[in-house]
Structure formats: C-alpha cells, structure tokens
Amino acid sequence: MRKLPAKLASQLYGAAELIAERGLDGTKIEDIAEATGIPKATIYYHLDGKNAVLEFLLSDLLDMIAGAVGVAVSSSEDARTRLEAAVLAQLGVMLEHPFLCRALVGDLGRATRLPELAGALRTAFYEPIEQLLAEGVSDGSLRQVADPGAVALSVFGAITVVGLSAAVEGPSVDPSTAAVRFSAAVSDLVLDGLATPGSRDQRRGEPL
Amino acid sequence: MRKLPAKLASQLYGAAELIAERGLDGTKIEDIAEATGIPKATIYYHLDGKNAVLEFLLSDLLDMIAGAVGVAVSSSEDARTRLEAAVLAQLGVMLEHPFLCRALVGDLGRATRLPELAGALRTAFYEPIEQLLAEGVSDGSLRQVADPGAVALSVFGAITVVGLSAAVEGPSVDPSTAAVRFSAAVSDLVLDGLATPGSRDQRRGEPL
DNA sequence: TGTTGGTTTGTACTGGGAGTACAAACTACG
DNA sequence: CGTAGTTTGTACTCCCAGTACAAACCAACA
C-alpha cells in the first residue's frame, strides 16, 4: 500500500457517508467509484481492495483523534484539568466527523481485525487516558483507584460511546457546541460520580 | 422467520465462536453448516440467510442481558444499590458469553442496521440505566446531573465497553469472579468519580 | 396400511459482485 | 523522442449467498 496522492485521498472522503450509511458490505466498489469520482481501476491501482478503503479512512480519523488528544494532554495543567481537556478534544474530533465515526462503529469488527487499525484505536483512545489517570495520582489531582486498568477502560468507554452515539444520531448543526455539552456531562460523571454525599458509605477509607 | 425448534437453536450456538473469530462476512454459510452440524439447506429452510443467524444469536444475548438487568433493577433497594446490581448483572451475562459478545462487537454495524436488534440493544443496555438514574434522584441515593441523557449514555458506555473488551480479550477462566472485579471498578468510577476531595472545586453549588 | 403435510437434506443452478488482467491512453521528466 | 509511472475502460474469473427442486423422512391419523 503505497501512500496515495493527496488529491485521491481527499476524493476518497466522499465514500465515508456511503459506508457509514450502508456498511462496507452494503457498499459496492462501483458505488464508491461513482461517489468519489475515482474509477474502480484506479482505486485498485492504489489500494488493496475494499478493506483498504476503510482502513485509509479510519486510520485518518484515529490520527486526528490521537493528535487532538495528544495536544490536550500535554499542557502544563494538573492531570484532572488535562483529563477534561482530553475528553473535550476527543469528542470534538468525533463530532466533527460523524460519518467517519459511523463507519467506525459500523465496521468496528473489521476494524479490530485489521491489525494496524487495532493498534491505532488503542493509541488514539485508550492509552492517553490510562496515562492521565496515572499522572493524576502522582500530582494529587485524581484519586487512586483499586483497578486502574479497568477504570481507564470505563472512562474510555464513557467518552467513546457518547461520541459514537452522537455521531449515529446524525450530524449536528454545531459540532463544537455539542462537543462542549457532551464533554461536560462526561467529565461531570467521571470526576464527581453519581453518588450523593449521603450515600457515600463504602469508600475505601479515604477521608471525605 | 418462524420460531425455530429448540434442538436447532442450541446447535446454532456452535456458530457463535466462528462468527466471533472471523466476522459474519468471513464466515461462509457452509462453514456454519459444518460447525453446527445443520446442513445448509436446513438452515435456509428455517432462516432467511446469514443475517438471520446473527440476528438469532444476538437477540438471544440481548434478551439474557435485559432479563438479568431487569431482575437486578427490580429489587426494593435504593437506586444506587440497584445500579451496582445492574452493572454486575450486565457484566455477568456478558462475561458468561464472550463469543456472543465478540460477535456483537464484530458486527455491531450490521446489528444496528437490523431494526429489531437496534431496539433490543437499546432495551437491554440503555433504558434500564436511564430509568435508574431518574429513580436515584427521586429517592435521594443518586445526585441530580445537568444532562441526564448524556450521563446515562456515559454510564452505559462505561459498562458496555468494559464488558466487550473483556470478551474480546478472550474467555476468562472464571467469568463470575471477573464480573465482580470489573463491576467493582465500574461502580467505583460511576458512583464516586475520580476527583480527589481537594480538586472538587467546580461543583454546581451543592454542598460537599 | 395408505394418505397427507410438515421437515430434512443432497444436488445442481443462478446471479451478483470482488478482484484481476491487460492494453490503450495520458502525463512528466530527461 | 523515450522511458516510467499513472489513469482508465473493458472484459474477464471466481467465489459464494441464496434458490430450486426432488427425494427421503417422519409424524399423525383414518
């Protein structure tokens, strides 16, 4: 898979909506050719088939997410603040690209079975969070939990599902406003939890 | 799609691992026939094709989850406690059926495009939580949040992603122990949050 | 026992679409 | 011009889902 020329790359995005709508299987190569204006023969000249089309689109999305989150995470604030920033960054990118997100949900299975993508998925979504939780414990802005791995996974799940679900609901008029709204909800949950002060009865000994 | 006889139904589960491993597309009907011992012609006599196989398997999984969560939710405890029970119940079923879960992730797109399943998915996963959060506010065991819908979605995401990821990691030796462990982590996060007491600086005015 | 109606299964076929082969045209650069 | 990469149309091949159908099988029941 040689790196394909910028022009073709940009045309390929025209296929995202199609794939999002019908899934990769429901989308014929001919359809992609028609939607993008790139003839079938040319597609096959550059890419190794349908999967490669999806792989190209999704790895791009994952790069964007990883990039945005990376920036958010590397400020000099405390970990708690950076976590909020990371949540916002991830949701921002996701809402900015609803079709890619829908394609991702739709062919998640195939995506996880494509080795490159599986790794990129981890890098984009999961690792920054895991990292941040650890740093939060060090700098005292986040509390220690019993099972950091599982908790990081939960946080990752909370963010991602909100983002995907928003994408599936359909493109929003104003993605960045929506991102702010959703990220507030997620951060609220993840930082402060749902228990009322009165019902916080079984903490593991740290003072209230 | 007439209701298919119990014997065939049970045989069909033999296809779950196959589908989980390779995805529905990577699985030929002939493979399913071989794995289950049900000849292709018989499969087609009862089911409307490959999708129907998946649909059958998944709707069963979703029923199990909806059932277990339903039980957990309908005790007479306060909402907070029932939420914990629901988390445990959902993860319990998911870890009990890793192959079905993997098939679900793998063909999530197709699943959401199958109208019956999309509804069942919502019923099994999302609605009970949404309900519970509302009840928690009434009975005082959970706090009020600004955007209940988005928060419910986050909680749903946290649970589900943990479950799916555990399923993808491979079947565990002792599913119910694993379920307890994971549900503890999720409940811990969802109820108490990650902020340290010192950093709880921007709550919306409710007293600490 | 024969008859009827559903189920089971093997075999052979059809059709659609992914991917391939290939040659002709086009482009760029020396 | 010549050489090398790219673009594209056309015409394939091949695989596999789904269908057709007929023969067997298995009740129940008169």
Side-chain angles (χ1 to χ4, degrees), chain A residues 25 80 106 109-110 140 143 153 165 181 188 190-196 199 203, chain B residues 25 80 106 109-110 140 143 153 165 188 190-196 199 202-203:
Chain A
D25 306 310
R80 175 200 193 287
R110 188 179 270 106
R143 58 180 259 260
L153 201 52
S165 140
R181 205 173 58 97
D188 188 17
V190 162
L191 290 173
D192 290 344
L194 292 176
T196 46
S199 76
R203 293 283 212 84
Chain B
D25 305 311
R80 176 200 192 285
R110 189 178 270 106
R143 60 179 258 260
L153 201 53
S165 140
D188 188 18
V190 162
L191 290 173
D192 290 343
L194 292 176
T196 45
S199 76
Q202 56 181 125
R203 292 281 211 87

PDB file of all heavy atoms in Angstrom, chain A residues 25 80 106 109-110 140 143 153 165 181 188 190-196 199 203, chain B residues 25 80 106 109-110 140 143 153 165 188 190-196 199 202-203:
ATOM      1  N   ASP A  25     -20.050  -3.741   3.557  1.00  0.00           N
ATOM      2  CA  ASP A  25     -20.572  -4.831   2.728  1.00  0.00           C
ATOM      3  C   ASP A  25     -21.676  -4.359   1.818  1.00  0.00           C
ATOM      4  O   ASP A  25     -21.779  -4.791   0.674  1.00  0.00           O
ATOM      5  CB  ASP A  25     -21.127  -5.944   3.595  1.00  0.00           C
ATOM      6  CG  ASP A  25     -20.093  -6.398   4.574  1.00  0.00           C
ATOM      7  OD1 ASP A  25     -18.975  -6.662   4.136  1.00  0.00           O
ATOM      8  OD2 ASP A  25     -20.411  -6.451   5.770  1.00  0.00           O
ATOM      9  N   ARG A  80      -6.113  16.312  36.248  1.00  0.00           N
ATOM     10  CA  ARG A  80      -7.562  16.421  36.271  1.00  0.00           C
ATOM     11  C   ARG A  80      -8.042  17.375  35.183  1.00  0.00           C
ATOM     12  O   ARG A  80      -8.957  17.073  34.419  1.00  0.00           O
ATOM     13  CB  ARG A  80      -7.983  16.943  37.640  1.00  0.00           C
ATOM     14  CG  ARG A  80      -9.440  17.229  37.813  1.00  0.00           C
ATOM     15  CD  ARG A  80      -9.616  18.170  39.008  1.00  0.00           C
ATOM     16  NE  ARG A  80     -10.987  18.280  39.445  1.00  0.00           N
ATOM     17  CZ  ARG A  80     -11.944  18.934  38.796  1.00  0.00           C
ATOM     18  NH1 ARG A  80     -11.686  19.505  37.644  1.00  0.00           N
ATOM     19  NH2 ARG A  80     -13.155  18.986  39.303  1.00  0.00           N
ATOM     20  N   GLY A 106     -19.835   1.019  12.518  1.00  0.00           N
ATOM     21  CA  GLY A 106     -20.435   0.046  11.624  1.00  0.00           C
ATOM     22  C   GLY A 106     -19.511  -1.095  11.295  1.00  0.00           C
ATOM     23  O   GLY A 106     -19.949  -2.236  11.183  1.00  0.00           O
ATOM     24  N   GLY A 109     -15.867  -4.360  13.888  1.00  0.00           N
ATOM     25  CA  GLY A 109     -15.336  -5.711  13.880  1.00  0.00           C
ATOM     26  C   GLY A 109     -14.223  -5.839  12.882  1.00  0.00           C
ATOM     27  O   GLY A 109     -13.117  -6.279  13.202  1.00  0.00           O
ATOM     28  N   ARG A 110     -14.500  -5.395  11.684  1.00  0.00           N
ATOM     29  CA  ARG A 110     -13.478  -5.454  10.648  1.00  0.00           C
ATOM     30  C   ARG A 110     -12.275  -4.609  11.077  1.00  0.00           C
ATOM     31  O   ARG A 110     -11.130  -5.006  10.913  1.00  0.00           O
ATOM     32  CB  ARG A 110     -14.045  -4.943   9.335  1.00  0.00           C
ATOM     33  CG  ARG A 110     -13.132  -5.144   8.185  1.00  0.00           C
ATOM     34  CD  ARG A 110     -13.739  -4.659   6.902  1.00  0.00           C
ATOM     35  NE  ARG A 110     -14.503  -5.658   6.197  1.00  0.00           N
ATOM     36  CZ  ARG A 110     -15.813  -5.696   6.117  1.00  0.00           C
ATOM     37  NH1 ARG A 110     -16.537  -4.807   6.749  1.00  0.00           N
ATOM     38  NH2 ARG A 110     -16.417  -6.625   5.423  1.00  0.00           N
ATOM     39  N   GLY A 140      -1.734  14.346  42.496  1.00  0.00           N
ATOM     40  CA  GLY A 140      -2.743  14.538  43.522  1.00  0.00           C
ATOM     41  C   GLY A 140      -4.063  15.109  43.039  1.00  0.00           C
ATOM     42  O   GLY A 140      -4.965  15.378  43.830  1.00  0.00           O
ATOM     43  N   ARG A 143      -7.895  10.690  42.254  1.00  0.00           N
ATOM     44  CA  ARG A 143      -7.691   9.744  43.339  1.00  0.00           C
ATOM     45  C   ARG A 143      -7.185   8.393  42.838  1.00  0.00           C
ATOM     46  O   ARG A 143      -7.333   8.042  41.672  1.00  0.00           O
ATOM     47  CB  ARG A 143      -8.976   9.559  44.136  1.00  0.00           C
ATOM     48  CG  ARG A 143     -10.161   9.069  43.327  1.00  0.00           C
ATOM     49  CD  ARG A 143     -11.391   8.906  44.215  1.00  0.00           C
ATOM     50  NE  ARG A 143     -11.562   7.512  44.538  1.00  0.00           N
ATOM     51  CZ  ARG A 143     -12.422   6.706  43.920  1.00  0.00           C
ATOM     52  NH1 ARG A 143     -13.222   7.170  42.988  1.00  0.00           N
ATOM     53  NH2 ARG A 143     -12.505   5.432  44.247  1.00  0.00           N
ATOM     54  N   LEU A 153     -10.420   1.918  31.223  1.00  0.00           N
ATOM     55  CA  LEU A 153     -11.277   1.355  30.185  1.00  0.00           C
ATOM     56  C   LEU A 153     -12.695   1.916  30.282  1.00  0.00           C
ATOM     57  O   LEU A 153     -13.325   2.242  29.271  1.00  0.00           O
ATOM     58  CB  LEU A 153     -11.302  -0.165  30.338  1.00  0.00           C
ATOM     59  CG  LEU A 153     -11.692  -1.011  29.148  1.00  0.00           C
ATOM     60  CD1 LEU A 153     -10.861  -0.644  27.938  1.00  0.00           C
ATOM     61  CD2 LEU A 153     -11.517  -2.480  29.499  1.00  0.00           C
ATOM     62  N   SER A 165     -22.400   7.567  19.702  1.00  0.00           N
ATOM     63  CA  SER A 165     -23.847   7.673  19.688  1.00  0.00           C
ATOM     64  C   SER A 165     -24.282   9.023  19.122  1.00  0.00           C
ATOM     65  O   SER A 165     -25.236   9.115  18.347  1.00  0.00           O
ATOM     66  CB  SER A 165     -24.381   7.431  21.086  1.00  0.00           C
ATOM     67  OG  SER A 165     -25.412   8.304  21.366  1.00  0.00           O
ATOM     68  N   ARG A 181     -21.050  20.431  25.308  1.00  0.00           N
ATOM     69  CA  ARG A 181     -22.147  19.934  26.122  1.00  0.00           C
ATOM     70  C   ARG A 181     -21.887  18.488  26.569  1.00  0.00           C
ATOM     71  O   ARG A 181     -21.955  18.158  27.751  1.00  0.00           O
ATOM     72  CB  ARG A 181     -23.436  19.993  25.300  1.00  0.00           C
ATOM     73  CG  ARG A 181     -24.705  20.087  26.075  1.00  0.00           C
ATOM     74  CD  ARG A 181     -25.874  20.309  25.116  1.00  0.00           C
ATOM     75  NE  ARG A 181     -25.977  19.238  24.134  1.00  0.00           N
ATOM     76  CZ  ARG A 181     -26.808  18.199  24.254  1.00  0.00           C
ATOM     77  NH1 ARG A 181     -27.602  18.098  25.284  1.00  0.00           N
ATOM     78  NH2 ARG A 181     -26.843  17.270  23.343  1.00  0.00           N
ATOM     79  N   ASP A 188     -18.325  15.504  34.173  1.00  0.00           N
ATOM     80  CA  ASP A 188     -19.102  15.566  35.406  1.00  0.00           C
ATOM     81  C   ASP A 188     -19.183  14.175  36.028  1.00  0.00           C
ATOM     82  O   ASP A 188     -18.867  13.970  37.205  1.00  0.00           O
ATOM     83  CB  ASP A 188     -20.499  16.112  35.076  1.00  0.00           C
ATOM     84  CG  ASP A 188     -21.307  16.402  36.331  1.00  0.00           C
ATOM     85  OD1 ASP A 188     -20.692  16.500  37.420  1.00  0.00           O
ATOM     86  OD2 ASP A 188     -22.539  16.510  36.232  1.00  0.00           O
ATOM     87  N   VAL A 190     -17.400  11.404  35.285  1.00  0.00           N
ATOM     88  CA  VAL A 190     -16.120  10.749  35.527  1.00  0.00           C
ATOM     89  C   VAL A 190     -15.380  11.358  36.710  1.00  0.00           C
ATOM     90  O   VAL A 190     -14.701  10.660  37.456  1.00  0.00           O
ATOM     91  CB  VAL A 190     -15.264  10.818  34.246  1.00  0.00           C
ATOM     92  CG1 VAL A 190     -13.812  10.571  34.547  1.00  0.00           C
ATOM     93  CG2 VAL A 190     -15.783   9.827  33.222  1.00  0.00           C
ATOM     94  N   LEU A 191     -15.521  12.641  36.907  1.00  0.00           N
ATOM     95  CA  LEU A 191     -14.801  13.282  38.005  1.00  0.00           C
ATOM     96  C   LEU A 191     -15.548  13.183  39.326  1.00  0.00           C
ATOM     97  O   LEU A 191     -14.986  12.823  40.344  1.00  0.00           O
ATOM     98  CB  LEU A 191     -14.516  14.747  37.658  1.00  0.00           C
ATOM     99  CG  LEU A 191     -13.478  14.936  36.547  1.00  0.00           C
ATOM    100  CD1 LEU A 191     -13.385  16.393  36.157  1.00  0.00           C
ATOM    101  CD2 LEU A 191     -12.122  14.387  36.986  1.00  0.00           C
ATOM    102  N   ASP A 192     -16.824  13.488  39.287  1.00  0.00           N
ATOM    103  CA  ASP A 192     -17.546  13.601  40.553  1.00  0.00           C
ATOM    104  C   ASP A 192     -18.429  12.417  40.904  1.00  0.00           C
ATOM    105  O   ASP A 192     -18.878  12.289  42.040  1.00  0.00           O
ATOM    106  CB  ASP A 192     -18.390  14.883  40.536  1.00  0.00           C
ATOM    107  CG  ASP A 192     -17.504  16.118  40.605  1.00  0.00           C
ATOM    108  OD1 ASP A 192     -16.320  15.959  40.957  1.00  0.00           O
ATOM    109  OD2 ASP A 192     -17.978  17.218  40.288  1.00  0.00           O
ATOM    110  N   GLY A 193     -18.712  11.569  39.902  1.00  0.00           N
ATOM    111  CA  GLY A 193     -19.540  10.412  40.211  1.00  0.00           C
ATOM    112  C   GLY A 193     -20.979  10.786  40.457  1.00  0.00           C
ATOM    113  O   GLY A 193     -21.353  11.959  40.436  1.00  0.00           O
ATOM    114  N   LEU A 194     -21.790   9.778  40.701  1.00  0.00           N
ATOM    115  CA  LEU A 194     -23.226   9.997  40.812  1.00  0.00           C
ATOM    116  C   LEU A 194     -23.745   9.883  42.231  1.00  0.00           C
ATOM    117  O   LEU A 194     -24.872  10.277  42.523  1.00  0.00           O
ATOM    118  CB  LEU A 194     -23.971   8.986  39.937  1.00  0.00           C
ATOM    119  CG  LEU A 194     -23.786   9.161  38.432  1.00  0.00           C
ATOM    120  CD1 LEU A 194     -24.488   8.036  37.702  1.00  0.00           C
ATOM    121  CD2 LEU A 194     -24.307  10.512  37.991  1.00  0.00           C
ATOM    122  N   ALA A 195     -22.931   9.334  43.111  1.00  0.00           N
ATOM    123  CA  ALA A 195     -23.425   9.129  44.471  1.00  0.00           C
ATOM    124  C   ALA A 195     -23.715  10.473  45.134  1.00  0.00           C
ATOM    125  O   ALA A 195     -23.019  11.458  44.897  1.00  0.00           O
ATOM    126  CB  ALA A 195     -22.397   8.357  45.280  1.00  0.00           C
ATOM    127  N   THR A 196     -24.756  10.507  45.935  1.00  0.00           N
ATOM    128  CA  THR A 196     -24.996  11.695  46.745  1.00  0.00           C
ATOM    129  C   THR A 196     -24.089  11.613  47.960  1.00  0.00           C
ATOM    130  O   THR A 196     -23.704  10.520  48.379  1.00  0.00           O
ATOM    131  CB  THR A 196     -26.449  11.742  47.215  1.00  0.00           C
ATOM    132  OG1 THR A 196     -26.807  10.446  47.700  1.00  0.00           O
ATOM    133  CG2 THR A 196     -27.370  12.109  46.071  1.00  0.00           C
ATOM    134  N   SER A 199     -24.959   9.054  50.472  1.00  0.00           N
ATOM    135  CA  SER A 199     -24.871   7.627  50.179  1.00  0.00           C
ATOM    136  C   SER A 199     -23.438   7.144  49.980  1.00  0.00           C
ATOM    137  O   SER A 199     -23.197   6.002  49.639  1.00  0.00           O
ATOM    138  CB  SER A 199     -25.704   7.300  48.934  1.00  0.00           C
ATOM    139  OG  SER A 199     -25.025   7.731  47.786  1.00  0.00           O
ATOM    140  N   ARG A 203     -16.689   3.967  50.802  1.00  0.00           N
ATOM    141  CA  ARG A 203     -15.377   4.305  50.269  1.00  0.00           C
ATOM    142  C   ARG A 203     -14.306   3.513  50.994  1.00  0.00           C
ATOM    143  O   ARG A 203     -14.521   3.024  52.108  1.00  0.00           O
ATOM    144  CB  ARG A 203     -15.100   5.801  50.485  1.00  0.00           C
ATOM    145  CG  ARG A 203     -15.973   6.712  49.686  1.00  0.00           C
ATOM    146  CD  ARG A 203     -15.530   6.773  48.238  1.00  0.00           C
ATOM    147  NE  ARG A 203     -15.824   8.100  47.703  1.00  0.00           N
ATOM    148  CZ  ARG A 203     -15.011   9.143  47.870  1.00  0.00           C
ATOM    149  NH1 ARG A 203     -13.905   9.005  48.542  1.00  0.00           N
ATOM    150  NH2 ARG A 203     -15.338  10.297  47.370  1.00  0.00           N
TER     151      ARG A 203
ATOM    152  N   ASP B  25     -18.923 -11.842   7.638  1.00  0.00           N
ATOM    153  CA  ASP B  25     -18.528 -11.906   6.231  1.00  0.00           C
ATOM    154  C   ASP B  25     -17.469 -12.958   5.992  1.00  0.00           C
ATOM    155  O   ASP B  25     -17.481 -13.642   4.980  1.00  0.00           O
ATOM    156  CB  ASP B  25     -17.959 -10.574   5.776  1.00  0.00           C
ATOM    157  CG  ASP B  25     -18.929  -9.474   6.042  1.00  0.00           C
ATOM    158  OD1 ASP B  25     -20.091  -9.646   5.671  1.00  0.00           O
ATOM    159  OD2 ASP B  25     -18.522  -8.477   6.651  1.00  0.00           O
ATOM    160  N   ARG B  80     -29.236   3.595  43.993  1.00  0.00           N
ATOM    161  CA  ARG B  80     -27.782   3.476  43.959  1.00  0.00           C
ATOM    162  C   ARG B  80     -27.350   2.021  44.063  1.00  0.00           C
ATOM    163  O   ARG B  80     -26.507   1.542  43.300  1.00  0.00           O
ATOM    164  CB  ARG B  80     -27.219   4.277  45.143  1.00  0.00           C
ATOM    165  CG  ARG B  80     -25.743   4.191  45.320  1.00  0.00           C
ATOM    166  CD  ARG B  80     -25.406   4.584  46.776  1.00  0.00           C
ATOM    167  NE  ARG B  80     -24.000   4.802  46.993  1.00  0.00           N
ATOM    168  CZ  ARG B  80     -23.110   3.839  47.077  1.00  0.00           C
ATOM    169  NH1 ARG B  80     -23.459   2.577  46.920  1.00  0.00           N
ATOM    170  NH2 ARG B  80     -21.839   4.135  47.314  1.00  0.00           N
ATOM    171  N   GLY B 106     -18.196  -7.321  16.693  1.00  0.00           N
ATOM    172  CA  GLY B 106     -17.707  -7.520  15.342  1.00  0.00           C
ATOM    173  C   GLY B 106     -18.696  -7.085  14.296  1.00  0.00           C
ATOM    174  O   GLY B 106     -18.325  -6.541  13.273  1.00  0.00           O
ATOM    175  N   GLY B 109     -22.253  -2.921  13.441  1.00  0.00           N
ATOM    176  CA  GLY B 109     -22.843  -2.117  12.381  1.00  0.00           C
ATOM    177  C   GLY B 109     -24.048  -2.819  11.801  1.00  0.00           C
ATOM    178  O   GLY B 109     -25.133  -2.250  11.719  1.00  0.00           O
ATOM    179  N   ARG B 110     -23.847  -4.065  11.435  1.00  0.00           N
ATOM    180  CA  ARG B 110     -24.954  -4.825  10.885  1.00  0.00           C
ATOM    181  C   ARG B 110     -26.076  -4.920  11.925  1.00  0.00           C
ATOM    182  O   ARG B 110     -27.247  -4.772  11.609  1.00  0.00           O
ATOM    183  CB  ARG B 110     -24.475  -6.225  10.497  1.00  0.00           C
ATOM    184  CG  ARG B 110     -25.498  -6.989   9.724  1.00  0.00           C
ATOM    185  CD  ARG B 110     -24.993  -8.344   9.316  1.00  0.00           C
ATOM    186  NE  ARG B 110     -24.330  -8.376   8.043  1.00  0.00           N
ATOM    187  CZ  ARG B 110     -23.038  -8.484   7.861  1.00  0.00           C
ATOM    188  NH1 ARG B 110     -22.217  -8.517   8.890  1.00  0.00           N
ATOM    189  NH2 ARG B 110     -22.532  -8.542   6.660  1.00  0.00           N
ATOM    190  N   GLY B 140     -33.145   9.987  46.343  1.00  0.00           N
ATOM    191  CA  GLY B 140     -32.041  10.663  47.030  1.00  0.00           C
ATOM    192  C   GLY B 140     -30.742   9.878  47.088  1.00  0.00           C
ATOM    193  O   GLY B 140     -29.773  10.316  47.701  1.00  0.00           O
ATOM    194  N   ARG B 143     -27.181  11.657  42.760  1.00  0.00           N
ATOM    195  CA  ARG B 143     -27.336  13.096  42.644  1.00  0.00           C
ATOM    196  C   ARG B 143     -27.932  13.504  41.296  1.00  0.00           C
ATOM    197  O   ARG B 143     -27.880  12.770  40.319  1.00  0.00           O
ATOM    198  CB  ARG B 143     -26.006  13.795  42.870  1.00  0.00           C
ATOM    199  CG  ARG B 143     -24.915  13.382  41.885  1.00  0.00           C
ATOM    200  CD  ARG B 143     -23.630  14.158  42.174  1.00  0.00           C
ATOM    201  NE  ARG B 143     -23.505  15.212  41.216  1.00  0.00           N
ATOM    202  CZ  ARG B 143     -22.721  15.154  40.131  1.00  0.00           C
ATOM    203  NH1 ARG B 143     -21.978  14.090  39.897  1.00  0.00           N
ATOM    204  NH2 ARG B 143     -22.668  16.153  39.287  1.00  0.00           N
ATOM    205  N   LEU B 153     -25.949   7.743  29.043  1.00  0.00           N
ATOM    206  CA  LEU B 153     -25.213   7.186  27.912  1.00  0.00           C
ATOM    207  C   LEU B 153     -23.762   6.884  28.304  1.00  0.00           C
ATOM    208  O   LEU B 153     -23.200   5.850  27.929  1.00  0.00           O
ATOM    209  CB  LEU B 153     -25.245   8.203  26.769  1.00  0.00           C
ATOM    210  CG  LEU B 153     -24.993   7.715  25.358  1.00  0.00           C
ATOM    211  CD1 LEU B 153     -25.920   6.568  25.022  1.00  0.00           C
ATOM    212  CD2 LEU B 153     -25.180   8.861  24.381  1.00  0.00           C
ATOM    213  N   SER B 165     -14.743  -5.390  25.965  1.00  0.00           N
ATOM    214  CA  SER B 165     -13.303  -5.530  25.909  1.00  0.00           C
ATOM    215  C   SER B 165     -12.849  -6.789  26.641  1.00  0.00           C
ATOM    216  O   SER B 165     -11.971  -7.517  26.178  1.00  0.00           O
ATOM    217  CB  SER B 165     -12.667  -4.279  26.481  1.00  0.00           C
ATOM    218  OG  SER B 165     -11.563  -4.602  27.261  1.00  0.00           O
ATOM    219  N   ASP B 188     -17.262   1.865  41.099  1.00  0.00           N
ATOM    220  CA  ASP B 188     -16.393   2.788  41.809  1.00  0.00           C
ATOM    221  C   ASP B 188     -16.308   4.115  41.041  1.00  0.00           C
ATOM    222  O   ASP B 188     -16.536   5.193  41.581  1.00  0.00           O
ATOM    223  CB  ASP B 188     -15.003   2.153  41.943  1.00  0.00           C
ATOM    224  CG  ASP B 188     -14.083   2.960  42.837  1.00  0.00           C
ATOM    225  OD1 ASP B 188     -14.600   3.800  43.609  1.00  0.00           O
ATOM    226  OD2 ASP B 188     -12.852   2.773  42.763  1.00  0.00           O
ATOM    227  N   VAL B 190     -18.268   5.195  38.525  1.00  0.00           N
ATOM    228  CA  VAL B 190     -19.549   5.829  38.230  1.00  0.00           C
ATOM    229  C   VAL B 190     -20.161   6.466  39.473  1.00  0.00           C
ATOM    230  O   VAL B 190     -20.800   7.514  39.400  1.00  0.00           O
ATOM    231  CB  VAL B 190     -20.513   4.788  37.621  1.00  0.00           C
ATOM    232  CG1 VAL B 190     -21.945   5.261  37.709  1.00  0.00           C
ATOM    233  CG2 VAL B 190     -20.117   4.507  36.184  1.00  0.00           C
ATOM    234  N   LEU B 191     -19.956   5.860  40.601  1.00  0.00           N
ATOM    235  CA  LEU B 191     -20.561   6.414  41.810  1.00  0.00           C
ATOM    236  C   LEU B 191     -19.700   7.503  42.438  1.00  0.00           C
ATOM    237  O   LEU B 191     -20.198   8.569  42.792  1.00  0.00           O
ATOM    238  CB  LEU B 191     -20.814   5.293  42.826  1.00  0.00           C
ATOM    239  CG  LEU B 191     -21.922   4.331  42.408  1.00  0.00           C
ATOM    240  CD1 LEU B 191     -22.006   3.159  43.374  1.00  0.00           C
ATOM    241  CD2 LEU B 191     -23.258   5.063  42.314  1.00  0.00           C
ATOM    242  N   ASP B 192     -18.402   7.233  42.560  1.00  0.00           N
ATOM    243  CA  ASP B 192     -17.585   8.163  43.334  1.00  0.00           C
ATOM    244  C   ASP B 192     -16.732   9.110  42.502  1.00  0.00           C
ATOM    245  O   ASP B 192     -16.208  10.099  43.025  1.00  0.00           O
ATOM    246  CB  ASP B 192     -16.693   7.373  44.298  1.00  0.00           C
ATOM    247  CG  ASP B 192     -17.516   6.727  45.403  1.00  0.00           C
ATOM    248  OD1 ASP B 192     -18.673   7.159  45.592  1.00  0.00           O
ATOM    249  OD2 ASP B 192     -17.020   5.801  46.062  1.00  0.00           O
ATOM    250  N   GLY B 193     -16.557   8.778  41.228  1.00  0.00           N
ATOM    251  CA  GLY B 193     -15.767   9.667  40.394  1.00  0.00           C
ATOM    252  C   GLY B 193     -14.289   9.594  40.711  1.00  0.00           C
ATOM    253  O   GLY B 193     -13.874   8.869  41.615  1.00  0.00           O
ATOM    254  N   LEU B 194     -13.522  10.351  39.978  1.00  0.00           N
ATOM    255  CA  LEU B 194     -12.077  10.247  40.103  1.00  0.00           C
ATOM    256  C   LEU B 194     -11.444  11.446  40.784  1.00  0.00           C
ATOM    257  O   LEU B 194     -10.276  11.418  41.167  1.00  0.00           O
ATOM    258  CB  LEU B 194     -11.451  10.101  38.711  1.00  0.00           C
ATOM    259  CG  LEU B 194     -11.749   8.796  37.999  1.00  0.00           C
ATOM    260  CD1 LEU B 194     -11.159   8.832  36.597  1.00  0.00           C
ATOM    261  CD2 LEU B 194     -11.188   7.619  38.784  1.00  0.00           C
ATOM    262  N   ALA B 195     -12.199  12.520  40.922  1.00  0.00           N
ATOM    263  CA  ALA B 195     -11.604  13.721  41.509  1.00  0.00           C
ATOM    264  C   ALA B 195     -11.204  13.456  42.953  1.00  0.00           C
ATOM    265  O   ALA B 195     -11.876  12.727  43.677  1.00  0.00           O
ATOM    266  CB  ALA B 195     -12.593  14.878  41.432  1.00  0.00           C
ATOM    267  N   THR B 196     -10.101  14.048  43.356  1.00  0.00           N
ATOM    268  CA  THR B 196      -9.736  13.997  44.770  1.00  0.00           C
ATOM    269  C   THR B 196     -10.526  15.082  45.485  1.00  0.00           C
ATOM    270  O   THR B 196     -10.906  16.084  44.863  1.00  0.00           O
ATOM    271  CB  THR B 196      -8.235  14.295  44.953  1.00  0.00           C
ATOM    272  OG1 THR B 196      -7.893  15.417  44.142  1.00  0.00           O
ATOM    273  CG2 THR B 196      -7.408  13.103  44.533  1.00  0.00           C
ATOM    274  N   SER B 199      -9.548  18.586  44.804  1.00  0.00           N
ATOM    275  CA  SER B 199      -9.727  19.183  43.488  1.00  0.00           C
ATOM    276  C   SER B 199     -11.195  19.364  43.106  1.00  0.00           C
ATOM    277  O   SER B 199     -11.504  19.770  41.998  1.00  0.00           O
ATOM    278  CB  SER B 199      -9.026  18.320  42.430  1.00  0.00           C
ATOM    279  OG  SER B 199      -9.777  17.172  42.150  1.00  0.00           O
ATOM    280  N   GLN B 202     -15.233  22.775  41.294  1.00  0.00           N
ATOM    281  CA  GLN B 202     -16.184  23.446  40.428  1.00  0.00           C
ATOM    282  C   GLN B 202     -17.547  22.751  40.399  1.00  0.00           C
ATOM    283  O   GLN B 202     -18.211  22.716  39.387  1.00  0.00           O
ATOM    284  CB  GLN B 202     -15.619  23.555  39.020  1.00  0.00           C
ATOM    285  CG  GLN B 202     -15.227  22.208  38.445  1.00  0.00           C
ATOM    286  CD  GLN B 202     -14.636  22.362  37.057  1.00  0.00           C
ATOM    287  OE1 GLN B 202     -13.541  21.917  36.800  1.00  0.00           O
ATOM    288  NE2 GLN B 202     -15.379  22.991  36.157  1.00  0.00           N
ATOM    289  N   ARG B 203     -17.952  22.206  41.502  1.00  0.00           N
ATOM    290  CA  ARG B 203     -19.294  21.641  41.565  1.00  0.00           C
ATOM    291  C   ARG B 203     -20.322  22.747  41.412  1.00  0.00           C
ATOM    292  O   ARG B 203     -20.041  23.918  41.637  1.00  0.00           O
ATOM    293  CB  ARG B 203     -19.512  20.967  42.926  1.00  0.00           C
ATOM    294  CG  ARG B 203     -18.679  19.743  43.127  1.00  0.00           C
ATOM    295  CD  ARG B 203     -19.286  18.566  42.396  1.00  0.00           C
ATOM    296  NE  ARG B 203     -18.973  17.341  43.151  1.00  0.00           N
ATOM    297  CZ  ARG B 203     -19.719  16.902  44.138  1.00  0.00           C
ATOM    298  NH1 ARG B 203     -20.788  17.558  44.505  1.00  0.00           N
ATOM    299  NH2 ARG B 203     -19.393  15.804  44.742  1.00  0.00           N
TER     300      ARG B 203
END
